Amino acid sequence: MRKFIACMFVVVLCEVLLPLQSGRAQARPEKAEERALERRGAPAASIAPTTKERDASADSAATKLPIHRVVLYKNGVGYFEHLGRVHGSQDVTINFTSGQLNDVLKSITILDLGKGRITGVGYNSEAPLGRRLSGLRLPLGERPSVAEFLGALRGARLEVRSGTGIVTGRLLSVERKTRISGGTTLEVDHISIVTDGGELRTIELSPTVSVRLAERDLNQEVSRYLTLLASVRDQDLRRMTISTAGTGDRGLYVSYISEVPIWKTTYRLVLPSKPGGKPILQGWAIVDNTVGEDWLDVELSLVAGAPQSFIQQLSQPYYGRRPVVALPESVQLTPQTHDATLVGGYGRLSGKVTDLQGAVIPGAQVRVFTDGGTLAAETSTNNEGIYEFGPLPAGSLRLEIVSQGFNKAIIQNLPVTGGSHIEQNIALQIGGVTETVVVEASAPGVSMDTAAISGAPRSLGSGKNLGSRGTLGGLSGSAGGTGGGTYRPGTGSAPLSPSEARARAAAAAQGRELGDLFEYKLKEHVTIRKNQSALVPIVQTEITADKVSLWSQSYGTPRPLRAVWVTNSSPLTLDGGSFSVLEEETFAGEGLLDPVKPGEKRLLSYAADLGVLVDTKLESEQERVTRVRISRGVLIHTRELREKKTYTVRNEATSPRSVIIEHPARPEWKLAHNGPQPEESSSGIYRFRLNIDPKKTATLTLDEARPLQTQYALTSLNEDQMALFLRQRTINPEVEQALRRIIEQKNRVAALDAAIASRETETETIFNDQQRLRENLKALKGSAEERALTQRYTQQLAGQETRLETLRREQTDLQNKRQQAQAELDAMVQQLTLDVNL
């Protein structure tokens, strides 16, 4: 049945299209010629003069404007430059895909490099196929079946030929019926025709049946429909024509951006296999050419940055429509990436100050400055001549010691690192303070974990030392390394080992800052054919690395990760990508790398460490009030919520391990000053280093405290609150005495308030009684008892007036005393300042 339907559709299309195709071939010979050129392999992005110009002059032969330069960015766009020559008033064309055209229209720059000018730029614009089909009278979609095609012709005059004869009439319907033949159920299509004589004929569509359209207008409409379908084959080709005006030969420059695949970065981190060797980082860029044109001998630059870019459908006619909101996409990667350093860690510094005979010098002033000259801390030596500083920022510090009767001493370049403890003893010379003795730091740092001199070099040796604290290599040389010859059989040269050949390899790109971006510009021109990809070496440099084991409770496993603590000691910005680790010329693991700036330090994990186990234990307690402060009428009780977290690490491996413990850095929680200090701090975490010998167990205990405060207004304190403070022992006798004075003064003010209130109550009572007497006097007028009661009431009123006068004087006196007492209370409250540690 499928073969029959296909045959019918071909018959109908051929009968409709043959006249049309013949006419189109005669009417547009230029189009056919251009397609022939394309079939012969003409590049999609070549520029060629029009047919009219080719016929007009030999100088107007097809001109290619080759791609001269390509710059690829990490946001999926590329910057392209074409450079070529034109002659006279020549039109040139560039072919793009529909996907390219939108970016080209909003970014293209065209320059005539001679005395000519650009007179115009045009391109073929097409509406979407669905909208163009909707303009036809045939209700057909983009992919109709034979039944759907015939169903759209209902009412049309058809001529149907079958083995039984010819039927002419109008199409009534197309129906699908089920027929059983030889035990098999088949579905066949039937068309119903109403003949000119009014007879209804039903004909089964079989391979021997043909259908011809008997209406000229309908033939033309079907031809337009099929023409639109045929145009879909070329819809991805957009031809831009650039018209120029001028004389003679001159250069033409065209630049634009276009959507391209994102170039990828992948690295090879090669760990040294010999003592004293330095790790090598090789970087490769993967570049894809999908723009439809060969990149022949072009300048290629790869930019590690993502300038803002967007897609705007400028080449497509716009119609009113609702915006399309894409569904959110998320990608979860199994490999871990680790945050960069925010704070470089803290170290500790202590020592003893003596004279040249070894006698201690108490009271000497000791100050520490950073390498930038900023004062970091200062203290004085105690009675035993000892000084000690708490956490100091990591770096190269300067120590100054001053004491009366001795020369001023300056110790330069003290190497303080995160988690280290430097012990620096000083012997002062007798002299004046104005005289200064400057020396370099003589005492190397001592590790708090191992008591080993941190300044002494340690060789990593073979890969068996993976996890040790030693440094893999020193500062790198210039990017690209040194060039070297290659081994060729028969020349007599000794073959190179893989590690020697890798060390001699040179990067094919030069790195440089490009504003906020970083560019890898290839030293040589490259050729990448269309629809092909290339792997280009862009980085070859020595780096500094420290092999460690990295553990965080957020990983959800007691096993740490093998990691390399890398410092980008090269001048290059390392773009983000994947990396592989080679150790002893063998694959050791792989991971992901975020972009790393020059001088930046970053942890790169690449495998699981099966030789180390980590366990944790958390203890918390709430301490009693440890500090009482009184200021500006507020009493503040400070207590601490303390937590102790112990990390227990077991090293079952046969080589030592340097384990980095990541501990959460929580707001308002502070590490104990006398406890271990982090090697560095990152976003929301501290990183502590713990060195463990083979078959040993080590612990790291971290004490943290969070202050909790309770505030009380001094004016609201009373005896009951005081008694509660005493029972809870949250105040000492000094604070109690100061608070009792305030409470006593507050009681005086309260007593005066009570006396004033008592007199106000008495005054109000007298006023009410006088009102009653006056009402009685009014009622007595004309009565027999008027004279006697009037005299009595008058005497009472006179006595009350005398008492009111006395009350007014007493109230005024009490108000004055109350104001004075309140002022004294306010002064006591505001002036009381205490800060007591219990």
Side-chain angles (χ1 to χ4, degrees):
M1 190 63 193
R2 292 180 179 175
K3 294 182 178 180
F4 164 69
I5 294 175
C7 291
M8 287 298 299
F9 192 64
V10 170
V11 169
V12 173
L13 296 188
C14 289
E15 291 184 358
V16 173
L17 283 182
L18 283 176
L20 178 63
Q21 294 293 342
S22 177
R24 290 176 64 188
Q26 296 175 2
R28 300 190 62 185
E30 294 180 9
K31 183 69 175 181
E33 183 179 358
E34 291 168 4
R35 290 182 176 175
L37 288 174
E38 292 174 2
R39 287 194 298 271
R40 288 197 297 268
S46 64
I47 292 186
T50 62
T51 304
K52 179 180 179 181
E53 290 172 329
R54 286 199 303 270
D55 297 338
S57 171
D59 293 335
S60 300
T63 303
K64 293 182 63 177
L65 195 67
I67 293 180
H68 171 68
R69 181 184 176 212
V70 178
V71 182
L72 303 180
Y73 297 85
K74 296 296 287 188
N75 61 342
V77 298
Y79 174 78
F80 296 85
E81 288 183 358
H82 292 255
L83 190 61
R85 304 194 66 81
V86 295
H87 179 79
S89 299
Q90 183 178 3
D91 289 352
V92 293
T93 61
I94 304 178
N95 292 339
F96 301 102
T97 64
S98 296
Q100 288 182 276
L101 189 57
N102 291 308
D103 286 327
V104 171
L105 291 177
K106 63 184 174 69
S107 63
I108 192 168
T109 299
I110 306 174
L111 299 175
D112 191 312
L113 303 182
K115 295 183 179 180
R117 68 183 188 278
I118 306 301
T119 59
V121 179
Y123 64 95
N124 57 313
S125 175
E126 295 181 355
L129 177 61
R131 181 169 291 275
R132 286 180 286 159
L133 290 177
S134 64
L136 300 178
R137 290 182 296 160
L138 292 176
L140 289 172
E142 298 181 23
R143 293 178 175 85
S145 64
V146 173
E148 291 172 343
F149 176 76
L150 292 175
L153 304 179
R154 291 177 57 187
R157 287 185 58 81
L158 302 179
E159 181 182 281
V160 182
R161 294 176 179 268
S162 64
T164 60
I166 301 176
V167 178
T168 303
R170 295 187 178 274
L171 177 63
L172 177 63
S173 64
V174 180
E175 300 176 279
R176 175 157 293 185
K177 297 181 180 181
T178 301
R179 177 165 56 85
I180 299 176
S181 175
T184 303
T185 301
L186 302 176
E187 290 186 347
V188 295
D189 291 324
H190 293 76
I191 60 174
S192 298
I193 302 292
V194 179
T195 65
D196 296 338
E199 182 181 1
L200 178 63
R201 298 283 300 272
T202 299
I203 304 168
E204 179 181 335
L205 293 178
S206 65
T208 60
V209 176
S210 66
V211 179
R212 187 178 69 84
L213 303 181
E215 296 180 5
R216 180 179 179 183
D217 292 343
L218 185 57
N219 260 321
Q220 293 176 351
E221 191 71 12
V222 173
S223 296
R224 285 193 292 269
Y225 168 74
L226 295 177
T227 300
L228 291 178
L229 290 182
S231 67
V232 176
R233 294 196 302 271
D234 297 330
Q235 69 176 355
D236 198 43
L237 180 63
R238 297 297 182 90
R239 177 168 288 106
M240 178 173 287
T241 302
I242 302 174
S243 300
T244 65
T247 57
D249 288 326
R250 58 196 188 278
L252 184 67
Y253 169 90
V254 178
S255 69
Y256 54 87
I257 68 168
S258 172
E259 183 179 28
V260 294
I262 297 175
W263 68 277
K264 287 85 67 180
T265 311
T266 179
Y267 297 93
R268 316 291 182 265
L269 178 58
V270 184
L271 302 181
S273 57
K274 297 180 180 179
K278 295 181 179 180
I280 295 176
L281 182 69
Q282 293 180 331
W284 298 75
I286 300 173
V287 181
D288 306 294
N289 177 10
T290 60
V291 299
E293 180 182 0
D294 294 336
W295 297 349
L296 302 176
D297 198 30
V298 301
E299 294 181 8
L300 180 61
S301 296
L302 308 174
V303 178
Q308 180 172 300
S309 184
F310 52 88
I311 296 176
Q312 193 173 36
Q313 299 292 343
L314 296 179
S315 64
Q316 179 177 326
Y318 265 79
Y319 303 93
R321 66 185 66 184
R322 293 180 299 165
V324 176
V325 179
L327 295 175
E329 297 180 1
S330 61
V331 178
Q332 183 176 359
L333 298 176
T334 300
Q336 299 281 338
T337 58
H338 308 280
D339 292 332
T341 304
L342 291 181
V343 180
Y346 294 91
R348 306 178 71 84
L349 177 62
S350 63
K352 180 182 288 189
V353 180
T354 64
D355 60 15
L356 295 180
Q357 285 71 38
V360 299
I361 302 176
Q365 185 181 9
V366 185
R367 297 190 296 176
V368 177
F369 295 87
T370 64
D371 53 0
T374 304
L375 179 64
E378 60 180 332
T379 187
S380 299
T381 57
N382 59 16
N383 293 332
E384 298 178 355
I386 295 176
Y387 70 91
E388 184 175 3
F389 289 102
L392 293 173
S396 180
L397 305 182
R398 186 176 84 249
L399 186 66
E400 294 186 359
I401 305 95
V402 177
S403 182
Q404 188 66 31
F406 295 89
N407 291 340
K408 179 180 179 181
I410 297 178
I411 312 296
Q412 297 186 140
N413 299 324
L414 276 170
V416 176
T417 59
S420 66
H421 185 181
I422 302 294
E423 184 176 347
Q424 180 67 59
N425 299 324
I426 305 103
L428 299 182
Q429 300 178 8
I430 297 177
V433 178
T434 56
E435 301 179 36
T436 303
V437 178
V438 181
V439 297
E440 293 294 318
S442 59
V446 180
S447 170
M448 293 290 288
D449 298 325
T450 63
I453 296 177
S454 65
R458 296 174 59 190
S459 174
L460 283 175
S462 66
K464 297 179 181 179
N465 292 328
L466 182 61
S468 64
R469 189 176 178 175
T471 301
L472 285 174
L475 296 176
S476 70
S478 61
T482 58
T486 57
Y487 170 69
R488 294 181 178 86
T491 62
S493 301
L496 300 176
S497 67
S499 59
E500 292 172 335
R502 187 178 291 111
R504 293 190 179 188
Q510 293 178 333
R512 68 185 181 97
E513 296 288 341
L514 193 66
D516 294 333
L517 311 176
F518 192 85
E519 177 188 31
Y520 296 96
K521 185 176 182 180
L522 272 67
K523 301 176 184 178
E524 303 291 339
H525 290 195
V526 300
T527 295
I528 305 177
R529 299 290 180 178
K530 60 183 177 181
N531 298 323
Q532 292 187 0
S533 302
L535 191 65
V536 182
I538 58 174
V539 175
Q540 173 79 18
T541 182
E542 295 178 348
I543 61 171
T544 302
D546 186 6
K547 290 187 286 186
V548 297
S549 296
L550 177 66
W551 187 87
S552 173
Q553 195 165 7
S554 63
Y555 299 162
T557 173
R559 300 287 185 184
L561 299 174
R562 282 286 179 90
V564 181
W565 213 341
V566 172
T567 300
N568 183 12
S569 49
S570 74
L572 304 174
T573 294
L574 304 180
D575 186 50
S578 62
F579 68 91
S580 299
V581 177
L582 299 179
E583 185 179 9
E584 297 287 348
E585 297 298 335
T586 304
F587 175 73
E590 61 184 1
L592 294 175
L593 170 69
D594 288 332
V596 182
K597 288 291 186 180
E600 188 177 354
K601 193 175 182 181
R602 190 67 62 85
L603 276 165
L604 307 179
S605 60
Y606 58 89
D609 190 345
L610 302 180
V612 176
L613 282 172
V614 183
D615 191 21
T616 61
K617 180 181 179 181
L618 179 64
E619 301 175 8
S620 63
E621 60 180 351
Q622 183 168 325
E623 293 290 320
R624 65 180 180 85
V625 173
T626 58
R627 183 182 180 189
V628 179
R629 289 186 297 135
I630 299 177
S631 178
R632 297 183 180 274
V634 178
L635 170 66
I636 302 174
H637 278 166
T638 302
R639 58 172 53 85
E640 285 186 343
L641 183 62
R642 295 182 179 178
E643 284 189 358
K644 177 186 291 186
K645 193 163 190 177
T646 302
Y647 295 91
T648 304
V649 185
R650 175 68 180 178
N651 180 15
E652 291 290 355
T654 58
S655 60
R657 289 289 193 267
S658 183
V659 180
I660 303 299
I661 302 292
E662 290 190 341
H663 180 77
R666 299 171 294 176
E668 301 180 3
W669 287 84
K670 302 298 181 184
L671 291 169
H673 292 289
N674 57 352
Q677 297 300 313
E679 181 118 344
E680 71 171 26
S681 298
S682 186
S683 177
I685 56 173
Y686 299 118
R687 292 189 176 121
F688 295 86
R689 186 190 289 267
L690 192 62
N691 293 324
I692 313 167
D693 292 329
K695 305 299 181 181
K696 298 293 184 180
T697 300
T699 60
L700 173 69
T701 302
L702 302 178
D703 291 317
E704 291 182 285
R706 177 186 177 186
L708 302 175
Q709 292 185 346
T710 307
Q711 298 184 359
Y712 305 89
L714 293 181
T715 54
S716 65
L717 296 180
N718 52 37
E719 294 292 346
D720 294 337
Q721 189 69 55
M722 181 69 70
L724 179 61
F725 288 162
L726 293 174
R727 286 197 304 272
Q728 295 177 343
R729 297 182 180 180
T730 58
I731 58 175
N732 63 2
E734 180 184 1
V735 177
E736 179 187 1
Q737 184 178 0
L739 295 181
R740 287 199 180 279
R741 288 197 299 268
I742 291 178
I743 293 176
E744 290 174 359
Q745 184 64 26
K746 181 182 175 182
N747 291 339
R748 294 191 190 99
V749 174
L752 291 172
D753 286 336
I756 293 172
S758 174
R759 282 156 178 77
E760 289 178 349
T761 301
E762 185 179 356
T763 300
E764 185 177 359
T765 301
I766 293 175
F767 282 153
N768 293 335
D769 192 56
Q770 285 183 338
Q771 184 65 26
R772 178 184 61 80
L773 292 177
R774 291 188 179 94
E775 292 295 332
N776 289 340
L777 288 174
K778 291 180 182 179
L780 289 175
K781 289 184 178 182
S783 65
E785 297 88 0
E786 178 181 2
R787 182 179 181 83
L789 292 177
T790 298
Q791 184 177 4
R792 177 183 172 184
Y793 290 159
T794 301
Q795 291 176 354
Q796 287 182 359
L797 289 172
Q800 288 176 344
E801 287 296 329
T802 302
R803 180 57 184 164
L804 286 174
E805 186 66 26
T806 302
L807 290 174
R808 291 191 186 97
R809 289 195 301 270
E810 292 177 355
Q811 283 181 330
T812 301
D813 183 55
L814 290 173
Q815 289 285 359
N816 293 335
K817 291 180 179 180
R818 199 268 179 199
Q819 292 178 359
Q820 182 179 358
Q822 184 64 45
E824 293 175 359
L825 176 62
D826 294 340
M828 292 175 63
V829 169
Q830 293 298 322
Q831 294 174 5
L832 180 59
T833 301
L834 287 176
D835 193 344
V836 179
N837 292 320
L838 301 181

